[in-house]
């Protein structure tokens, strides 16, 4: 059986440190109760913002970039 994984830098680092912790966190979706998630939450928010922004830029490349940034931030604050 062949397994292909798509991992980001955080996942690779965690896997190299402890494969069992990686499995519990990324396949079982378990985490320690005292784990600090502020940085991860901020990263998730930023990636969501950039996803909306670059999608708008792709659909309307000639529109002002500031307009796309404004729409992206408004989209995320409505959620």
């Amino acid at each position: 059986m062949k397994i292909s994984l798509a991992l980001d830098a955080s996942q690779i680092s965690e896997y190299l440190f402890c494969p069992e912790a990686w499995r519990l966190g990324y396949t079982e979706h378990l985490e320690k109760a005292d784990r600090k998630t502020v940085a991860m939450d901020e990263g998730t928010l930023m990636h969501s913002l950039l996803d909306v922004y670059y999608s708008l830029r792709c659909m309307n490349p000639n529109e002002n970039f500031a307009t796309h940034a404004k729409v992206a931030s408004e989209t995320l604050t409505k959620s």
Side-chain angles (χ1 to χ4, degrees):
M1 176 161 111
K2 183 177 180 179
I3 297 174
S4 296
L5 295 175
L7 305 173
D8 61 21
S10 301
Q11 290 188 48
I12 292 169
S13 176
E14 179 137 7
Y15 184 84
L16 292 173
F17 182 72
C18 179
E20 182 64 11
W22 176 86
R23 185 187 71 76
L24 291 172
Y26 289 97
T27 63
E28 301 297 326
H29 305 289
L30 300 175
E31 59 184 56
K32 292 171 51 177
D34 64 344
R35 186 173 183 183
K36 295 181 180 169
T37 62
V38 173
M40 293 293 285
D41 293 342
E42 290 172 351
T44 299
L45 178 61
M46 183 56 76
H47 280 270
S48 298
L49 178 68
L50 291 172
D51 183 45
V52 173
Y53 174 78
Y54 284 117
S55 294
L56 291 169
R57 294 295 297 157
C58 183
M59 290 186 293
N60 301 310
N62 296 327
E63 193 169 339
N64 185 321
F65 70 91
T67 303
H68 290 144
K70 182 179 179 207
V71 171
S73 66
E74 289 171 351
T75 300
L76 290 178
T77 55
K78 290 179 187 176
S79 302

